[in-house]
Amino acid sequence: PHLRSPMVAVAGTPMPSPGGAPVQRILFCANLCVDHVCEVPTFPKEDSGQRALDYRKAIGGNGANSTRVLVQLRNGRSRVSWLGPVPRCDEPDAAFVLGELEAAGVDVELLEEVGGDGLPSSFILASRDTTARTIVSARRGTREMSAEHFAAVAGRAFAEGATMGVPCWCHLECRQSPAVMLKMATSWHAEASSLAAHPPLSLELEKNWDLDELMPLLRLCDHLLIDQGFAERQLADNILKRCRDAKELPSGPDGTPPSKRPKLSSAPEGAAAAPVEGLGQHPALRFLCVLRRVVGELPDGRSPCWVCTWGKSGSFALEAASGETFFQPAILQEKAVDSVGAGDTFIASYLHARIAGAGTQAALACGAAVAGRKVGQVGFANLRSAVPQALE
């Protein structure tokens, strides 16, 4: 695999944190692409045409968005390393996005050159009147990163800990089959076992993989970050019928047993939060509770946290060992400007909070605050000021 020049302040020493301590290292494996964004007054009708109000070419993908936000929030305390495939480093679009990542402070030396016609691309039609967007993506012949490459660079990251920062977290976007992702998770755990404090592994679920095939992978993850679409598809596939105890799930905000009632944090002072009625009936909470029953026994000593984001409603979480549930309303903006990457911003902010030692409720609140700020602006600049003071 192609190797980039290490991002070090002085040869052989890691970039210092603000306090001068050696940095930790976050490995983030997720999609990287080039976005072609057309902003239109309103969505066009079929077989019609209109002139775009604005066009821009930008770096995109979950990996590009989340890593750039993480760099901001960690503020020099962690080296953020993106892992993923590019066709060739000198392919024009790949060179463009890698340059943008490095300019933002993201380490890209662990990438894999895999060949193909060009960097994966997304074509985004964004409606100014509703802020909604439609995304059409193309792989352009570039395959996903191999499990063998991940195993090699994970081993390398732990071996380089003294100079490049000790790995403190690994995040995987579940882009490939559960069997391939399981190999990656197993490789991470094999390398992480060398440390006394086992660094967490988080998994991002968007695609509609078969739940039975996912089970071994889910049991290896310390944090699940589940997209609304994934949960809705599972509910549509009658996941409730797979659980004999489904009738015991929370049934309503007033009738919800106290042990099942989600904890709720308030919005920051001066901020508007989404309505919170009907929490006990919310499909995100029901999905998380049923998933817990379906997963069954957890590995010894593991206490995973599962988070399900639900757009403008907010985010829910379940601590799988205790069964305790949490809810954080979304932080609403006076004017929604650009929702592209808001979910990626939430994930980066959640990871930042967890690495900083936050509990579940505080991590959800951090995600809501920073993602809310993102929706109120174009791009990802200057998001650190939205982090709750205790987690700066």
Side-chain angles (χ1 to χ4, degrees), residues 69-75 77 348-349 352 370 383-384 387:
V69 175
L70 264 173
V71 167
Q72 288 186 53
L73 305 189
R74 297 307 297 152
N75 194 31
R77 289 164 289 189
S349 306
H352 161 70
V370 184
L383 293 176
R384 184 166 173 258
V387 174

Side-chain angles (χ1 to χ4, degrees), residues 35-391:
D35 285 345
H36 301 272
V37 184
C38 283
E39 188 176 356
V40 294
T42 187
F43 273 115
K45 296 180 180 179
E46 188 175 358
D47 292 329
S48 69
Q50 62 175 275
R51 186 177 296 276
L53 299 173
D54 183 48
Y55 165 82
R56 62 185 182 273
K57 176 183 176 181
I59 180 173
N62 302 34
N65 298 338
S66 292
T67 54
R68 286 180 293 165
V69 175
L70 264 173
V71 167
Q72 288 186 53
L73 305 189
R74 297 307 297 152
N75 194 31
R77 289 164 289 189
S78 302
R79 183 187 307 278
V80 179
S81 297
W82 172 76
L83 289 74
V86 297
R88 303 179 314 279
C89 289
D90 60 356
E91 189 270 334
D93 284 340
F96 165 71
V97 298
L98 293 175
E100 291 288 304
L101 280 181
E102 290 184 309
V106 179
D107 165 34
V108 297
E109 66 171 287
L110 301 181
L111 61 79
E112 181 182 20
E113 287 186 306
V114 300
D117 299 325
L119 191 74
S121 301
S122 291
F123 302 87
I124 303 175
L125 194 62
S127 173
R128 183 170 289 185
D129 62 347
T130 64
T131 74
R133 79 273 191 218
T134 295
I135 304 174
V136 179
S137 300
R139 291 299 302 175
R140 299 177 66 190
T142 298
R143 67 165 173 80
E144 299 288 355
M145 183 177 69
S146 68
E148 292 74 20
H149 178 81
F150 177 85
V153 297
R156 174 183 163 185
F158 280 92
E160 305 180 323
T163 56
M164 300 294 284
V166 177
C168 68
W169 197 287
C170 179
H171 179 80
L172 300 175
E173 180 189 0
C174 192
R175 296 188 54 78
Q176 302 188 69
S177 72
V180 172
M181 301 306 300
L182 180 62
K183 290 181 180 179
M184 295 185 184
T186 302
S187 297
W188 172 257
H189 283 290
E191 298 295 340
S193 64
S194 64
L195 299 182
H198 197 294
L201 173 68
S202 56
L203 181 73
E204 181 178 350
L205 285 172
E206 288 185 336
K207 294 181 179 294
N208 193 28
W209 301 110
D210 181 81
L211 198 56
D212 288 325
E213 294 180 12
L214 280 171
M215 283 300 149
L217 174 61
L218 302 188
R219 295 188 179 103
L220 286 183
C221 297
D222 302 288
H223 297 264
L224 296 181
L225 292 139
I226 302 166
D227 177 71
Q228 174 182 346
F230 178 88
E232 287 179 325
R233 288 188 293 270
Q234 291 296 327
L235 290 170
D237 289 341
N238 295 318
I239 186 177
L240 294 173
K241 292 183 179 179
R242 300 185 51 175
C243 179
R244 290 176 297 178
D245 298 328
K247 62 180 180 296
E248 299 178 10
L249 293 175
S251 58
D254 298 322
T256 300
S259 61
K260 300 294 186 182
R261 190 173 297 134
K263 290 186 176 181
L264 170 66
S265 65
S266 58
E269 185 176 353
V276 296
E277 292 83 3
L279 291 184
Q281 293 177 324
H282 199 282
L285 181 60
R286 293 181 64 82
F287 168 74
L288 289 172
C289 292
V290 173
L291 181 64
R292 175 66 191 92
R293 289 172 170 80
V294 172
V295 168
E297 186 175 352
L298 298 170
D300 291 341
R302 184 153 293 146
S303 182
C305 181
W306 302 342
V307 176
C308 185
T309 56
W310 213 268
K312 296 178 181 178
S313 297
S315 56
F316 290 80
L318 180 143
E319 293 182 351
S322 67
E324 191 168 12
T325 56
F326 303 80
F327 172 69
Q328 169 63 49
I331 306 302
L332 304 179
Q333 304 297 302
E334 287 188 16
K335 181 180 180 182
V337 176
D338 179 18
S339 63
V340 175
D344 303 331
T345 299
F346 179 94
I347 288 174
S349 306
Y350 176 88
L351 265 58
H352 161 70
R354 287 299 201 176
I355 294 168
T360 299
Q361 194 70 68
L364 296 181
C366 182
V370 184
R373 175 71 60 82
K374 164 66 197 82
V375 172
Q377 66 179 53
V378 175
F380 299 89
N382 304 315
L383 293 176
R384 184 166 173 258
S385 61
V387 174
Q389 188 172 1
L391 296 173

